[in-house]
């Protein structure tokens, strides 16, 4: 393959990667912890979209548990969001692990 062909392939790969990143903004993942007492929803760009908290947890004596559950839900949602993007990129690259891709 000549250099011109390789450059075209690289440009096409870059264009597809950008499309996937844009599409990721429309994809969401939700993490629910504490038996559904706290849920966090993120998009594929790791942006927090919503937090849902069971009203039973909104009591002064439950503050520490509520804080812990929110942290757990958000961290799990971040992990799921990252996995979503990685899965999309793997589909693009045919499973190749390309350093620095994301």
């Amino acid at each position: 393959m000549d250099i011109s062909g390789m450059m075209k392939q690289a440009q096409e790969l870059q264009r597809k990667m950008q499309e996937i990143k844009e599409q990721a903004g429309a994809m969401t993942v939700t993490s629910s912890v504490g038996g559904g007492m706290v849920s966090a929803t993120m998009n594929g760009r790791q942006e927090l979209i919503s937090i849902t908290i069971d009203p039973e947890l909104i009591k002064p004596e439950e503050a520490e548990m509520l804080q812990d559950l929110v942290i757990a839900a958000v961290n799990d949602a971040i992990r799921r969001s990252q996995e979503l993007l990685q899965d999309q990129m793997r589909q693009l690259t045919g499973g190749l692990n390309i350093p620095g891709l994301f």
Side-chain angles (χ1 to χ4, degrees), residues 17-85:
M17 286 173 33
Q18 186 60 37
E19 284 178 14
I20 286 173
K21 287 180 181 179
E22 289 172 12
Q23 291 170 356
M27 297 177 190
T28 61
V29 294
T30 300
S31 174
S32 183
V33 297
M37 298 176 94
V38 175
S39 297
T41 302
M42 299 191 108
N43 65 20
R45 291 189 299 252
Q46 286 85 52
E47 297 169 334
L48 185 62
I49 297 171
S50 70
I51 292 274
T52 304
I53 301 170
D54 184 321
E56 290 295 314
L57 286 176
I58 305 174
K59 299 176 184 174
E61 64 273 12
E62 300 294 339
E64 190 172 332
M65 182 173 66
L66 176 58
Q67 292 166 352
D68 291 343
L69 288 172
V70 169
I71 289 168
V74 171
N75 285 335
D76 190 56
I78 289 169
R79 181 188 55 75
R80 290 174 186 230
S81 175
Q82 290 169 340
E83 288 173 357
L84 175 71
L85 186 56

